Amino acid sequence: MTGSLVEPRLRAVAHLVPPGSAVADVGSGDGRLARWLLTRGCIVTATEKTRAQACWLADAVSGTAIEVVEGFGLRPLQSRRLDLVVMTGLGGRSIARILEDPSVAPSWSLLLQPMQDLTALSQALRRLNRGIGRACLVRSRGRLYPIVEAPLGVAWNGGPPGLLDGLGPWLRSDPLWSVWRDHALHRHAEDRGRAGSGRAPVSPNGGRQ
Ligand SMILES: C[S@@+](CC[C@H](N)C(=O)[O-])C[C@H]1O[C@@H](n2cnc3c(N)ncnc32)[C@H](O)[C@@H]1O
């Protein structure tokens, strides 16, 4: 696979993974990120939540050294020694549900790229007392996506609750911050309008909250 076939949001995530690390790509989909991580010398486990999706993923990465496992969220990783767990392309609420699954504690460093609902994700990190190591924005195919690193052993260090619920201070130094902030403020104003009309609010990237 050549780098140009991997979309920028996934390339940006891959470049934050230290080469050679043992990494699990949870909700790997077709395994694009997993294969890209392999080219960076990582030992890669890729997961999917159902048997059918895991079989499809195994076909997609057959002939590579990627290990495919089936199971919900972090459950199939429970006994594994990993440097990092990566979750990309899922909604912030789905990632939050996975992280707060009572049957398995997220005892690894995390690299997260939510598609929307950043607030739900940051609230989960706050509840889990997991702090941020770094956060940035990446432009990919006309949209902006946040990427959040939550290293193991760092306690919650985000800002106060509010717009973006504590992640604003971490994203503010990003060159794309002003574009993201204007978008987020615009959505926030729309949310308030919707709240008045009884409709569900929308997250900064457009997903229903
Ligand atoms: C939109 S795709 C993203 C695929 C890839 N990670 C990417 O960024 O392009 C989301 C994938 O996560 C999987 N998924 C959703 N919830 C999951 C869960 N709780 N545990 C494992 N996989 C899950 C879905 O089956 C789907 O393949």
Side-chain angles (χ1 to χ4, degrees):
M1 165 177 289
T2 64
S4 58
L5 292 176
V6 181
E7 52 200 282
R9 75 179 166 88
L10 294 179
R11 259 183 290 161
V13 169
H15 281 96
L16 293 172
V17 176
S21 44
V23 54
D25 178 21
V26 170
S28 189
D30 62 6
R32 263 172 304 164
L33 174 62
R35 277 181 288 169
W36 189 241
L37 290 170
L38 211 55
T39 68
R40 292 174 58 79
C42 295
I43 301 159
V44 187
T45 305
T47 85
E48 265 298 333
K49 74 177 166 187
T50 66
R51 171 73 49 90
Q53 285 161 320
C55 286
W56 191 78
L57 171 61
D59 271 354
V61 300
S62 69
T64 73
I66 297 167
E67 181 189 5
V68 174
V69 294
E70 171 203 336
F72 180 95
L74 305 175
R75 291 178 196 172
L77 305 174
Q78 216 150 11
S79 55
R80 300 205 176 215
R81 280 203 191 159
L82 296 165
D83 298 308
L84 192 64
V85 167
V86 176
M87 286 188 254
T88 67
L90 288 91
R93 280 177 189 276
S94 298
I95 297 176
R97 260 194 303 277
I98 289 171
L99 294 178
E100 296 194 289
D101 179 353
S103 64
V104 48
S107 53
W108 307 276
S109 291
L110 305 167
L111 182 55
L112 309 169
Q113 179 269 298
M115 298 300 272
Q116 71 271 324
D117 293 337
L118 186 58
T119 298
L121 171 59
S122 61
Q123 286 171 347
L125 291 173
R126 180 196 299 272
R127 285 191 293 269
L128 290 164
N129 195 23
R130 293 291 303 257
I132 314 301
R134 184 163 37 164
C136 61
L137 295 164
V138 59
R139 194 190 294 276
S140 186
R141 300 186 177 165
R143 276 182 67 171
L144 290 183
Y145 300 95
I147 300 174
V148 177
E149 283 184 310
L152 193 62
V154 175
W156 172 253
N157 53 7
L163 186 63
L164 301 183
D165 200 53
L167 288 180
W170 289 94
L171 293 171
R172 204 169 282 144
S173 56
D174 191 282
L176 293 169
W177 164 251
S178 58
V179 184
W180 169 269
R181 183 204 50 204
D182 291 351
H183 190 67
L185 286 173
H186 176 71
R187 290 290 190 191
H188 189 59
E190 280 189 354
D191 287 355
R192 292 179 60 166
R194 262 187 212 90
S197 68
R199 291 184 56 198
V202 171
S203 74
N205 250 348
R208 291 273 169 222
Q209 303 241 48

